[in-house]
Amino acid sequence: KNQVEQSPQSLIILEGKNCTLQCNYTVSPFSNLRWYKQDTGRGPVSLTIMTFSENTKSNGRYTATLDADTKQSSLHITASQLSDSASYICVVSALSGYNKLIFGAGTRLAVHP
Amino acid sequence: NAGVTQTPKFQVLKTGQSMTLQCAQDMNHNSMYWYRQDPGMGLRLIYYSASEGTTDKGEVPNGYNVSRLNKREFSLRLESAAPSQTSVYFCASSEVGGTANYGYTFGSGTRLTVV
C-alpha cells in the first residue's frame, strides 16, 4: 500500500533555531517528492519538488533532501522565524495515468519567540 | 494573480441538504482536482478532471459529484450531505503532464460542517 509517514507529528522550537522534519514513504513506482507549507486556514503552498535523481533542493531557508534508496526525505529549516509556524506536508507522486499524489498527515511546527 | 479561487469559505449544512462548492482558476491549467482534508490525515483525492470535458473518481468519491463547467471552473456537489462529509475541501489545479514535475496550486479551502 502506498503510504507517506511524517515525524514528528508536532514540534515546538524557539525563534532562530534550526529544525529537521522527516518523511518516510512506501510509494511505488516513485515519480517525485514534494514538500508543502500550509498556514492555518490556507491551502498548501509548494516549497520544493525533487525527482529520483535529485538528492537535495533548496528554497531560501528551506532545504529538502531525498534518499531514494532508503525512501526517506527530510526538510531542514534554518534560522527559524515566527512566520515558519505552519504545517509541513510531504507529498509523494506515484507513476500513474494521472500522476497520483499521496499526502502525509503533516508536521505541525510552532516557532516561539 | 488570483490563482485558484474557492467559494464559499465556510458553510454549515443540515444532514440531507445539498450544496455545490465552486472552484475557478485563472492560470490556464488543464487539470483540476478536489481534495478533502480531515484531522490527522493527509489530503485525499475525491475527483479530478485531467482536461476539459473529462472527470474521474479519486480515492473517496462516494457521496459527491463533479462538473467541469469549462477550462476554468470545476464544481463539487454534495447531493445529500452527511456528518461524515464534515471536512475542509480544497480545489487544486495543475498543468497537464503525466509524470512531469509540474506544480499544483491550491485554493484556500472551504470549511464544511454537516450537523
Side-chain angles (χ1 to χ4, degrees):
Chain A
K1 181 181 179 182
N2 288 330
Q3 284 188 314
V4 176
E5 303 285 343
Q6 292 188 243
S7 62
Q9 281 189 322
S10 61
L11 182 63
I12 299 174
I13 63 173
L14 293 177
E15 185 179 13
K17 298 297 185 182
N18 304 334
C19 67
T20 300
L21 314 180
Q22 302 292 342
C23 173
N24 296 333
Y25 62 92
T26 56
V27 175
S28 181
F30 174 86
S31 177
N32 56 69
L33 185 145
R34 307 159 188 247
W35 281 94
Y36 282 85
K37 178 186 180 188
Q38 185 177 21
D39 292 316
T40 301
R42 308 290 293 176
V45 175
S46 180
L47 293 175
T48 62
I49 302 175
M50 289 182 291
T51 62
F52 181 88
S53 60
E54 296 174 297
N55 55 23
T56 187
K57 183 73 70 78
S58 291
N59 178 358
R61 294 180 296 102
Y62 301 101
T63 299
T65 64
L66 172 64
D67 186 333
D69 291 332
T70 61
K71 298 186 177 181
Q72 295 180 323
S73 176
S74 65
L75 180 69
H76 186 74
I77 303 175
T78 303
S80 61
Q81 301 176 358
L82 298 178
S83 59
D84 292 331
S85 295
S87 286
Y88 292 84
I89 303 173
C90 177
V91 184
V92 181
S93 176
L95 285 173
S96 74
Y98 67 90
N99 196 46
K100 179 184 175 70
L101 298 185
I102 298 100
F103 288 77
T107 293
R108 183 171 294 276
L109 174 66
V111 181
H112 290 183
Chain B
N1 57 344
V4 176
T5 302
Q6 291 183 236
T7 57
K9 292 189 182 302
F10 302 93
Q11 184 71 48
V12 179
L13 289 179
K14 294 182 179 179
T15 297
Q17 286 185 319
S18 63
M19 79 161 295
T20 299
L21 282 64
Q22 305 287 352
C23 175
Q25 53 94 6
D26 62 3
M27 296 167 288
N28 202 37
H29 286 167
N30 286 296
S31 301
M32 298 185 73
Y33 313 82
W34 277 105
Y35 290 90
R36 60 179 288 172
Q37 185 175 38
D38 299 299
M41 301 179 69
L43 274 73
R44 293 180 293 169
L45 182 66
I46 304 171
Y47 270 93
Y48 68 99
S49 172
S51 62
E52 186 179 357
T54 69
T55 61
D56 286 285
K57 296 179 180 179
E59 183 183 355
V60 288
N62 291 343
Y64 306 95
N65 284 301
V66 292
S67 295
R68 183 73 182 268
L69 304 172
N70 48 56
K71 190 172 184 178
R72 291 185 63 249
E73 299 172 289
F74 189 38
S75 63
L76 178 71
R77 183 161 179 83
L78 287 70
E79 291 291 352
S80 179
S84 61
Q85 294 178 305
T86 293
S87 187
V88 181
Y89 292 85
F90 287 99
C91 177
S93 70
S94 69
E95 299 171 3
V96 168
T99 59
N101 299 322
Y102 52 90
Y104 279 56
T105 300
F106 287 84
S108 294
T110 294
R111 185 173 295 274
L112 175 66
T113 302
V114 183
V115 298

